[in-house]
Amino acid sequence: MAAENKIINLYIDRSGALYGAPFGKSKKYGMRPIDRLFLLMPGYTDEMLCEFVNRVFDCCGSEDAKDDMPTSIQTYLKAKSYKEAIQNLGLLVGFYAENEGFAFTPAENTGEGFVLGTDTVEARPDCTRKEMAKKLKTAIAAVHIGKAEGQTEG
């Protein structure tokens, strides 16, 4: 049996709310967010944060992505385009590899989409909830909300 690999998008708005989008198989892109979105409002505890992220990871691969449909964040925010949906959001991309652990990488908002950064925060697969929460909070704090400074409209 092949090792399990999962990807999630954690969008963050200016209030600190988290929007979790699990990935599934895509015929067009290989992997893409599926038509599900989880929301965690600000004021959450460390335990709630860990449970939220685990729930999003657990939904990865639960269905195939719908390539011809708007992304779940675009649908949820009732935006006309992905560009409009993400204009005031930041993104933390989460990766999980069985037996290797977790990696969380902030992405830069270009105004058109996101570009994955290089500052990755890693966690062991057997880390405690306290350790996981600390790693997540470090990664979330590194996310810039909205279009990165110096980016111009295209």
Side-chain angles (χ1 to χ4, degrees):
M1 187 173 176
E4 188 174 28
N5 295 304
K6 298 178 178 184
I7 303 172
I8 63 172
N9 279 347
L10 294 175
Y11 296 98
I12 306 159
D13 70 15
R14 294 188 192 285
S15 75
L18 299 176
Y19 305 83
F23 276 58
K25 290 184 181 179
S26 161
K27 290 179 181 164
K28 189 173 181 181
Y29 304 103
M31 297 282 286
R32 181 183 171 192
I34 61 174
D35 194 28
R36 295 183 87 174
L37 193 70
F38 297 87
L39 178 62
L40 183 64
M41 296 304 290
Y44 49 80
T45 64
D46 288 356
E47 183 70 23
M48 291 165 69
L49 176 61
C50 290
E51 186 61 34
F52 172 77
V53 170
N54 284 331
R55 189 172 347 118
V56 179
F57 271 119
D58 286 346
C59 282
C60 286
S62 61
E63 60 187 71
D64 287 347
K66 297 177 177 127
D67 293 333
D68 57 339
M69 299 294 289
T71 62
S72 54
I73 192 71
Q74 181 181 335
T75 302
Y76 181 80
L77 296 176
K78 297 177 175 59
K80 293 180 177 112
S81 66
Y82 183 71
K83 178 181 174 179
E84 180 184 319
I86 65 160
Q87 66 184 350
N88 292 309
L89 296 176
L91 176 64
L92 182 65
V93 181
F95 302 93
Y96 170 79
E98 193 172 21
N99 300 322
E100 293 181 34
F102 301 90
F104 298 97
T105 305
E108 183 178 313
N109 188 334
T110 67
E112 299 288 329
F114 291 95
V115 176
L116 206 55
T118 56
D119 297 328
T120 299
V121 176
E122 297 180 351
R124 300 181 329 271
D126 60 346
C127 70
T128 66
R129 291 267 175 142
K130 184 176 182 177
E131 291 169 326
M132 176 63 86
K134 184 176 179 182
K135 300 279 187 175
L136 282 165
K137 289 196 283 190
T138 298
I140 289 167
V143 173
H144 178 81
I145 310 300
K147 191 170 77 167
E149 293 178 26
Q151 294 288 336
T152 57
E153 291 293 326

